[in-house]
Amino acid sequence: MAKKYVAAIDQGTTSTRCMIFDREGNPISSSQMEHEQIYPHPGWVEHDPMEIWSRTQDVIRGALEKGNVDPNDIAAIGITNQRETTVVWDKNTGKPVYNAIVWQCMRTQDFCLEWEKEPGANEKVNQKTGLVISTYFSGPKIKWILDNVPGARERAQKGELLFGNIDTWVIWNLTGGPNGGVHVTDVSNASRTMLMNIKTLQWDEEMLNFLGIPKSMLPEIKPSSHIYGYTVPNGPFRASIPISGDLGDQQAAVFGQVCFNVGEAKNTYGTGNFMLLNIGKTPSLSKSGLLTTVAYGLKEGEAVYALEGSMAITGAAIQWLRDNLRLFDDAADSEWFASKVKDTGGIYFVPAFSGLFAPYWDMRARGCIVGLTRYIRKEHLIRATLECICYQTLDVQRAMEADSGVPLTELKVDGGAVRNNLLMQLQADLLGVPVVRPKVNETTGLGAAYAAGLATGFWTSLDELKQNWKVDKRFEPTMSKETRDEMYRGWKKAIERAKGWID
């Protein structure tokens, strides 16, 4: 009997989801659960890896049950994940030695600032990894765990500890954990560790030595579409199914948005925003504050690269309005409140809660709201929060254009926030180009499913995947260039106020 479905596990910053897709790329069923955000100190962010693994099992069972799906009808499983979030665990017990250190976490700031001062350090890191020295990436987080968890360095040197980003952690557990679990990652996730050489696609000995990380901790690097291993029959899938797709969440969205041609770009609106531009098979480095990253790899030793603009706090700023300031009960309400005012009343909100990411890369920056007067109501602040998401995207788009010389003609969008029509219209207005929302909005899970299905022959070619992509809505720009330029000038002034806040 021919298999009918491909499953995807999308392990994100705030929640875990399992989705099951049919051959046309339509979602058949989905189950999602949030997990706890742990803030031990200001600027520190952690997750409990055991809670994430528990949630993963729950959503798998939930998706199978909701869709009344027989596991034997599933051809393949794809994994996609919050990328730089770092787990170190005991390979014999499967127990983490510390909580997962989340990509947003700032605890390695002092180390990174000292490292940055070394002559030529940033250039060397950029040349080797395509990245910049930042608290964002996994390497310094692993070093922190080895330096600060009692006994961790000794155990790592003895070969007892394993490292993985969340993709590696989930695959290891699904394939048996301490009983033969496969310790693997793909090129897209490895390119976010600060430990992989962007040209050779192998772990870089010099980076490992500098950070003091034993190579024995690291997973094997494989293509993004490849049979890594099989689920254990006594696990949540209740069957032996190939796990054959693995992509970092933003790269998975590139794949799900079928941005397979040089010059195609997508922007994902999630906890943060991540805009990626396909630059082909040569890893050219940015001169404008962007990262060079692996978009995906379909063959051993080969990759397609992307320029990436990472914006740390976008959807998270809306969550902050909801959870910390209690301005509304549901994130979706932000659209209703923001539409009650015609503009922000002259205020700008720079949500630099984790410093500023692309294209500024300022670890010392902190959030600010500027331009306040007695006129301002909560509706203005909510609208300014939607606008700050659009301004950050505009910053990145301008950097991409400066690097590539290719003007953006339209922007494909995905992620939870794209359901907000006002946000999408503001984005089209501030970019001055159409914004295109696809029918299947959850392109992250879809991209992981596509990579998995390609490896097992469920889908046969990239052209077949392209035929599945369909438009839901196009948002055409209506704002004049003069208005856009004036608003953007105000944003740039606000950015200057946020920079360098921490001495």
Side-chain angles (χ1 to χ4, degrees):
M1 291 286 288
K3 306 278 186 183
K4 298 178 185 173
Y5 309 116
V6 174
I9 296 161
D10 179 357
Q11 203 302 299
T13 308
T14 57
S15 68
T16 307
R17 179 187 321 218
C18 179
M19 301 182 78
I20 295 171
F21 295 93
D22 67 13
R23 202 170 287 278
E24 284 71 50
N26 299 311
I28 297 304
S29 71
S30 174
S31 177
Q32 182 172 5
M33 295 180 79
E34 291 195 355
H35 58 266
E36 186 185 1
Q37 306 296 308
I38 302 164
Y39 305 106
H41 301 288
W44 291 30
V45 193
E46 297 176 1
H47 294 155
D48 176 352
M50 297 307 289
E51 183 191 14
I52 285 176
W53 170 230
S54 174
R55 292 286 185 268
T56 301
Q57 296 173 80
D58 290 341
V59 297
I60 290 167
R61 294 185 192 105
L64 292 172
E65 200 175 306
K66 280 185 189 172
N68 196 22
V69 171
D70 181 340
N72 295 304
D73 283 334
I74 297 175
I77 299 160
I79 310 290
T80 181
N81 58 295
Q82 46 165 326
R83 296 175 298 179
E84 300 78 9
T85 297
T86 297
V87 189
V88 174
W89 70 94
D90 186 308
K91 72 178 182 185
N92 298 310
T93 66
K95 294 285 186 285
V97 302
Y98 190 81
N99 274 340
I101 301 181
V102 178
W103 58 273
Q104 300 161 316
C105 187
M106 300 287 288
R107 78 186 64 200
T108 61
Q109 177 173 293
D110 289 347
F111 166 73
C112 289
L113 287 171
E114 284 304 309
W115 186 9
E116 230 179 12
K117 288 177 191 169
E118 293 182 18
N122 229 332
E123 289 74 15
K124 179 177 269 194
V125 167
N126 189 239
Q127 287 289 329
K128 278 184 168 289
T129 69
L131 309 177
V132 296
I133 294 173
S134 170
T135 59
Y136 184 17
F137 305 108
S138 316
K141 300 180 199 295
I142 304 169
K143 175 180 163 52
W144 188 94
I145 290 173
L146 296 182
D147 288 346
N148 289 278
V149 175
R153 187 167 289 286
E154 293 73 20
R155 290 166 70 192
Q157 281 161 349
K158 284 184 198 164
E160 295 172 10
L161 300 186
L162 301 178
F163 151 73
N165 295 125
I166 299 286
D167 63 314
T168 300
W169 170 243
V170 169
I171 293 171
W172 188 80
N173 279 296
L174 282 172
T175 54
N179 304 307
V182 178
H183 189 219
V184 69
T185 190
D186 90 297
V187 281
S188 75
N189 276 294
S191 76
R192 311 301 295 189
T193 59
M194 213 191 256
L195 304 174
M196 187 188 84
N197 187 298
I198 196 75
K199 298 181 184 76
T200 66
L201 308 178
Q202 299 296 319
W203 299 122
D204 189 275
E205 299 285 353
E206 190 178 351
M207 294 301 295
L208 292 177
N209 292 338
F210 177 78
L211 292 167
I213 297 168
K215 197 172 183 181
S216 60
M217 294 178 72
L218 302 183
E220 200 175 349
I221 301 173
K222 290 289 179 189
S224 313
S225 180
H226 178 89
I227 297 177
Y228 313 109
Y230 292 80
T231 56
V232 289
N234 62 349
F237 277 104
R238 307 189 312 277
S240 178
I241 304 169
I243 300 176
S244 50
D246 180 14
L247 286 154
D249 52 8
Q250 303 314 321
Q251 288 95 333
V254 168
F255 216 74
Q257 289 273 39
V258 298
C259 294
F260 301 138
N261 297 324
V262 173
E264 291 186 324
K266 70 88 204 173
N267 198 24
T268 296
Y269 296 71
T271 303
N273 267 34
F274 300 88
M275 190 167 170
L276 277 78
L277 172 76
N278 184 324
I279 58 169
K281 294 186 175 177
T282 306
S284 56
L285 299 175
S286 172
K287 297 179 179 65
S288 308
L290 302 175
L291 305 175
T292 302
T293 197
V294 173
Y296 56 88
L298 300 180
K299 289 183 188 162
E300 203 90 51
E302 282 185 22
V304 170
Y305 295 91
L307 285 177
E308 173 173 330
S310 317
M311 301 153 253
I313 303 290
T314 56
I318 294 171
Q319 288 174 326
W320 179 72
L321 297 185
R322 180 193 68 188
D323 299 341
N324 294 44
L325 302 192
R326 313 247 166 153
L327 296 190
F328 41 76
D329 296 324
D330 191 303
D333 295 340
S334 60
E335 180 175 5
W336 187 86
F337 283 110
S339 67
K340 296 298 162 199
V341 288
K342 69 179 191 304
D343 55 33
T344 67
I347 65 166
Y348 290 85
F349 173 24
V350 181
F353 300 160
S354 300
L356 284 168
F357 280 26
Y360 305 105
W361 298 108
D362 184 350
M363 289 180 266
R364 293 187 173 92
R366 286 298 179 270
C368 67
I369 300 166
V370 298
L372 286 166
T373 61
R374 282 288 300 271
Y375 171 73
I376 298 302
R377 305 197 311 270
K378 78 173 187 179
E379 290 85 355
H380 294 109
L381 176 55
I382 294 167
R383 190 177 181 104
T385 305
L386 296 186
E387 284 192 3
C388 81
I389 296 171
C390 302
Y391 286 128
Q392 290 181 84
T393 301
L394 179 55
D395 282 337
V396 165
Q397 183 268 324
R398 293 202 171 183
M400 279 186 175
E401 198 167 307
D403 272 341
S404 67
V406 180
L408 188 69
T409 54
E410 65 174 30
L411 183 65
K412 289 180 174 179
V413 297
D414 54 70
V418 302
R419 290 187 287 269
N420 184 322
N421 289 324
L422 176 59
L423 175 65
M424 293 298 97
Q425 187 58 53
L426 283 168
Q427 188 67 87
D429 284 341
L430 286 168
L431 284 173
V433 300
V435 165
V436 186
R437 182 171 67 197
K439 273 218 159 56
V440 178
N441 173 27
E442 295 305 334
T443 53
T444 304
L446 182 59
Y450 279 167
L454 275 177
T456 58
F458 186 80
W459 289 293
T460 56
S461 68
L462 298 182
D463 285 338
E464 187 182 352
L465 302 182
K466 282 183 191 174
Q467 286 163 21
N468 286 347
W469 193 86
K470 294 178 179 67
V471 173
D472 172 50
K473 186 167 182 183
R474 283 174 71 86
F475 296 86
E476 298 286 345
T478 57
M479 185 181 285
S480 72
K481 183 178 183 303
E482 292 72 32
T483 303
R484 181 185 313 132
D485 289 348
E486 185 184 343
M487 289 170 69
Y488 190 53
R489 274 195 297 275
W491 168 254
K492 297 297 269 189
K493 278 169 67 180
I495 285 282
E496 291 306 313
R497 303 298 192 275
K499 281 182 180 176
W501 182 261
I502 301 293
D503 293 329

